[in-house]
Amino acid sequence: MKKQILNTLLLLTITFSGLAQKNQELDYIDYHTQLNQAKLLIAQSKFEEALQIHQKVFKQYPKHFYKDVHNACVCAIKCEKFKEARKLAQELVSLGYSLVRFEKQAFESFRNSSEWKVFEKSYPKLRLKYESGLNHDLREKYHQLYVEDQQVAKNEYGYGEFKNDSAMLALSKRLKEYYKEDGIPDFIHQSDSMYTKYFILYRHYFGMKNNADNTPEIKNKSNIYKEIDALNWKEILLKELRVGNINPQFYSDAVMYNDYSNPFGKPAIKIDFDKETVSPFMCLKPEDVAEKNANRLAIGLMPLSDDNKDILANTWYAKYPFKAIKDSIAKTKGASLLDKVMLSKKIELQVYNSFPHSELDDFYLDDYSQVKEKYSYGFKDLPTADVK
């Protein structure tokens, strides 16, 4: 009997050790990397394949971000897999969705399915569970910190001013104490207005730190910058990214605020008139592009390159009027570069304004359709009509 108990305990020890090791191996950077591939498939209207990736990833990882669950749910709806859509919609309720959120066009066919009635019946209990799980005291604590942060941000001093940075440091120290008490709050995964307020607390910290790091005369004028560095938020947030408590966008947008080196690159659009292609782009030397894309991949962001041009497949850029622009310029006698630009903008605007509701409007994606910075290649050399 004693031997049997020892064997059982040994088996349990091995089992729990294996589970612990498995959990330790989970790295949410891979979670986001896999879902980046799903986003590319969504952009190409390959909803079945995208749904399969989501389902696989959700089984691998216990924590899900609401935007990813939303994307999976809409994929299921477009594939008419309404039972799967219902399960995902129920998870969305647990992540903060109210019934009114399901009135959007993306959920229309789901609302007309028999599974909608099942969902409606389950909704009140799920919503009550979500609401009862909200920690209002915790939310108020961070809200008040945000209010104080805004008061400091609105004063007459800027980054690098001793008075302003001292006040911001005091707020960052309190944030650090709260982090020790609470970890990363659950509302970071959820559809919650507190997300932005919480994010801004980190953004302002890094704005202050990066400004000092890039300006030695500021960095050396006061010992407070040693205290700022000692908070070590960058390393902490990277750890939180890896364990799935924040997402790559939260991390990158925070840590590179006021960092002139822009380690993760600035999204732009490349319009290539020679190849007649449009793609995500960084206007940098090839070696710098490679370095920044390596940085993006290292934290689970999608690279910005021609390889990922499919992310624009269902945006107005997919209908970019290369031929119309070329033909119009070719018929214009002696057109200057400014004439060419004005003509191309007029034709671009016509296409943009006529572009219908896109399937992509139903999803949360890395949206390059609204990126304002554009670079045209081969445009200035487009031939005009001969002047006689």
Side-chain angles (χ1 to χ4, degrees):
M1 183 69 172
K2 186 176 180 180
K3 184 177 180 181
Q4 185 178 356
I5 292 173
L6 288 172
N7 287 338
T8 301
L9 288 172
L10 179 62
L11 180 61
L12 286 172
T13 301
I14 294 171
T15 301
F16 286 127
S17 296
L19 288 172
Q21 185 178 3
K22 183 178 180 181
N23 287 332
Q24 287 174 358
E25 290 172 354
L26 287 177
D27 187 336
Y28 272 76
I29 289 175
D30 183 58
Y31 166 101
H32 296 291
T33 300
Q34 291 186 65
L35 291 186
N36 284 340
Q37 295 306 307
K39 290 174 184 176
L40 287 171
L41 291 167
I42 288 170
Q44 300 170 73
S45 300
K46 297 178 180 179
F47 303 120
E48 179 74 44
E49 295 173 59
L51 177 60
Q52 289 174 5
I53 291 178
H54 280 92
Q55 290 172 324
K56 174 189 171 187
V57 171
F58 289 167
K59 286 179 181 178
Q60 290 176 329
Y61 294 85
K63 291 177 285 191
H64 311 146
F65 293 84
Y66 85 90
K67 289 184 179 181
D68 301 324
V69 179
H70 173 102
N71 286 350
C73 185
V74 177
C75 280
I77 291 168
K78 291 186 180 296
C79 295
E80 298 186 353
K81 294 188 173 183
F82 296 117
K83 186 175 181 179
E84 290 298 322
R86 187 252 301 165
K87 292 177 182 177
L88 290 161
Q90 289 170 330
E91 184 175 355
L92 284 173
V93 176
S94 73
L95 294 171
Y97 271 39
S98 60
L99 201 59
V100 71
R101 295 287 292 274
F102 295 97
E103 293 177 5
K104 291 187 175 182
Q105 180 175 332
F107 300 98
E108 183 177 2
S109 57
F110 172 49
R111 293 195 304 271
N112 294 327
S113 73
S114 59
E115 289 293 334
W116 176 253
K117 293 181 180 179
V118 180
F119 170 73
E120 274 191 313
K121 187 175 180 180
S122 68
Y123 174 81
K125 186 176 180 180
L126 291 170
R127 182 65 185 180
L128 181 62
K129 183 178 180 181
Y130 165 75
E131 291 178 349
S132 62
L134 292 175
N135 187 331
H136 295 286
D137 291 337
L138 184 72
R139 291 166 62 82
E140 182 60 22
K141 181 166 76 169
Y142 286 103
H143 175 73
Q144 286 304 317
L145 193 61
Y146 166 76
V147 169
E148 293 180 47
D149 169 275
Q150 292 299 288
Q151 290 172 346
V152 173
K154 288 177 182 176
N155 69 27
E156 62 194 71
Y157 305 100
Y159 292 126
E161 295 291 338
F162 178 76
K163 185 175 181 179
N164 196 65
D165 286 357
S166 296
M168 196 66 74
L169 172 60
L171 292 173
S172 296
K173 284 182 174 179
R174 280 173 55 198
L175 179 62
K176 187 67 171 288
E177 290 303 314
Y178 291 174
Y179 171 75
K180 290 176 180 177
E181 294 170 5
D182 311 318
I184 300 292
D186 287 343
F187 50 70
I188 295 302
H189 288 89
Q190 299 166 352
S191 176
D192 195 308
S193 60
M194 281 300 297
Y195 177 98
T196 301
K197 296 175 182 178
Y198 184 75
F199 164 76
I200 285 173
L201 298 173
Y202 292 97
R203 180 178 171 89
H204 284 167
Y205 163 82
F206 282 104
M208 171 179 59
K209 173 177 165 50
N210 291 334
N211 182 69
D213 286 345
N214 288 315
T215 319
E217 59 270 25
I218 291 175
K219 184 92 172 179
N220 298 329
K221 79 176 182 179
S222 172
N223 284 331
I224 69 166
Y225 297 107
K226 293 181 181 178
E227 295 184 63
I228 290 169
D229 290 343
L231 290 174
N232 203 25
W233 274 123
K234 189 172 184 179
E235 186 175 325
I236 291 170
L237 290 186
L238 182 58
K239 181 194 75 174
E240 295 295 344
L241 170 63
R242 288 192 175 280
V243 298
N245 290 333
I246 62 173
N247 62 30
Q249 209 65 56
F250 185 107
Y251 177 83
S252 63
D253 287 350
V255 303
M256 74 178 191
Y257 188 50
N258 253 3
D259 183 351
Y260 310 136
S261 69
N262 203 356
F264 303 107
K266 182 179 180 182
I269 299 294
K270 179 181 179 181
I271 300 173
D272 191 326
F273 278 84
D274 295 326
K275 298 179 181 178
E276 296 195 357
T277 59
V278 183
S279 60
F281 180 65
M282 286 186 278
C283 188
L284 298 167
K285 295 177 182 178
E287 59 270 25
D288 293 334
V289 171
E291 179 184 348
K292 292 186 189 299
N293 273 332
N295 292 342
R296 293 177 70 86
L297 285 167
I299 65 167
L301 285 176
M302 190 181 295
L304 299 171
S305 70
D306 288 346
D307 293 338
N308 287 332
K309 61 180 176 291
D310 287 337
I311 197 68
L312 301 172
N314 276 326
T315 68
W316 79 274
Y317 283 117
K319 305 292 184 183
Y320 193 83
F322 288 105
K323 187 176 187 304
I325 291 173
K326 288 179 177 180
D327 289 348
S328 295
I329 290 175
K331 294 175 183 175
T332 305
K333 292 183 178 180
S336 67
L337 180 58
L338 180 59
D339 293 333
K340 291 180 181 180
V341 170
M342 296 304 293
L343 185 58
S344 68
K345 285 186 177 297
K346 181 180 178 180
I347 297 172
E348 277 185 3
L349 189 60
Q350 290 172 348
V351 174
Y352 177 82
N353 288 336
S354 66
F355 193 74
H357 168 80
S358 167
E359 287 183 316
L360 295 192
D361 295 341
D362 297 332
F363 295 93
Y364 290 108
L365 300 177
D366 298 315
D367 182 17
Y368 297 103
S369 63
Q370 300 301 319
V371 173
K372 294 181 180 179
E373 193 167 326
K374 297 183 291 186
Y375 294 86
S376 295
Y377 283 74
F379 174 76
K380 66 180 181 179
D381 297 323
L382 293 177
T384 61
D386 293 333
V387 179
K388 296 182 180 179

